[in-house]
Amino acid sequence: NEVKKAARQAQEGYLGEEGDRLMDLDCEILEVVKSKNFEGWNICAIINDKMASWMSQTELKRGPCVIVKAKVKAQGKHWKHGKDETRLNYVKAAQ
């Protein structure tokens, strides 16, 4: 329920264009789900009031986090909540 509520309150829009580099952003991790197809974790978060997600080799915990650096991989809609979502890769996150 907390995830749905946060997703509803997130603004529409993206964090950047494909290929943009992002640095030093505060985020709130909403959901951490073990991937069924890959060796890793799918992370869903709110950054600057916008939805973002990425795959991580290490399991992060729900709650506050800092994105040290990342690259915008794609823009699209969240598969579950239907909101605009920025897909990231090459993410270095610190908790």
Side-chain angles (χ1 to χ4, degrees), residues 8-91:
R8 275 196 308 267
Q9 292 175 348
Q11 296 177 2
E12 291 291 333
Y14 303 105
L15 293 171
E17 297 297 318
E18 289 183 28
D20 285 355
R21 295 189 186 284
L22 307 174
M23 299 183 95
D24 296 326
L25 298 172
D26 292 328
C27 81
E28 183 74 23
I29 295 178
L30 300 178
E31 206 170 26
V32 180
V33 179
K34 177 86 167 123
S35 174
K36 294 180 178 114
N37 302 324
F38 303 103
E39 205 47 50
W41 304 86
N42 196 17
I43 312 292
C44 179
I46 301 285
I47 302 172
N48 292 342
D49 252 1
K50 296 180 174 80
M51 291 199 70
S53 67
W54 66 91
M55 290 294 290
S56 174
Q57 298 236 330
T58 58
E59 181 182 7
L60 297 172
K61 303 292 181 213
R62 289 183 60 208
C65 176
V66 174
I67 303 300
V68 178
K69 67 179 184 176
K71 187 175 178 184
V72 176
K73 178 180 180 180
Q75 299 173 338
K77 296 283 185 189
H78 190 276
W79 67 276
K80 191 182 199 177
H81 305 295
K83 286 278 200 172
D84 287 345
E85 174 189 58
T86 306
R87 192 78 180 154
L88 305 174
N89 61 359
Y90 305 112
V91 177

